[in-house]
Amino acid sequence: MMSNLATKLQQEQQHRTVQAPAKAPVKAPAKRNSILTPGEKILMFVFGAIVCFGATFMVSKQAAIYAVNKEIQIIEGDIQEQQKVNSDLEVQISELSTYERIKKVTEKLGLTLNENNVKGVEN
């Protein structure tokens, strides 16, 4: 019977040892609330600010270039109009300076042509 008692005690001890490893849970390291550290957050903010500033700068420069190109086109249009006016005036000058017209105007004014007093001038 003694051996029975010894085996029972031995079984109980084994049973206790099997249950004994159930220790209190080990505290896990404190979880971080955020994936990024404060330094990384600052770097991301600075990078975002630089990107926004760069984008704004580029858009403003493109708007200035557009305005200058628009002014250039307006001025080129004005130049073409003035060139047309100038060519029309040159045609009028050539029409008004013909010999026949000058002769008619002088006859209306009562001027006479003295052949001995005429000198030829070349342009």
Side-chain angles (χ1 to χ4, degrees):
M1 203 153 167
M2 195 70 155
S3 68
N4 249 351
L5 185 59
T7 49
K8 276 187 181 182
L9 281 175
Q10 200 175 25
Q11 285 177 357
E12 282 181 25
Q13 284 178 352
Q14 285 178 354
H15 186 60
R16 284 184 193 163
T17 57
V18 171
Q19 289 179 353
K23 298 177 183 177
V26 177
K27 287 187 178 181
K31 289 186 178 181
R32 293 194 295 183
N33 291 339
S34 175
I35 296 174
L36 302 174
T37 64
E40 290 172 335
K41 287 180 183 179
I42 291 171
L43 287 175
M44 292 294 285
F45 175 76
V46 169
F47 179 74
I50 290 172
V51 168
C52 289
F53 176 75
T56 304
F57 182 75
M58 286 175 48
V59 168
S60 68
K61 290 301 175 187
Q62 287 294 330
I65 290 171
Y66 174 77
V68 169
N69 283 338
K70 187 175 179 181
E71 287 179 33
I72 289 171
Q73 288 178 348
I74 291 170
I75 291 172
E76 284 177 348
D78 292 344
I79 289 171
Q80 287 177 353
E81 288 178 27
Q82 190 62 44
Q83 285 175 342
K84 184 178 177 184
V85 168
N86 289 350
S87 65
D88 290 344
L89 291 174
E90 286 177 2
V91 169
Q92 284 181 354
I93 288 170
S94 64
E95 288 175 357
L96 294 174
S97 63
T98 60
Y99 179 76
E100 292 82 21
R101 183 184 173 282
I102 293 173
K103 188 174 181 181
K104 284 181 188 177
V105 170
T106 56
E107 288 175 355
K108 280 184 186 178
L109 295 174
L111 300 173
T112 58
L113 180 62
N114 184 356
E115 295 284 336
N116 296 332
N117 205 11
V118 175
K119 294 181 182 177
V121 179
E122 299 271 336
N123 285 342

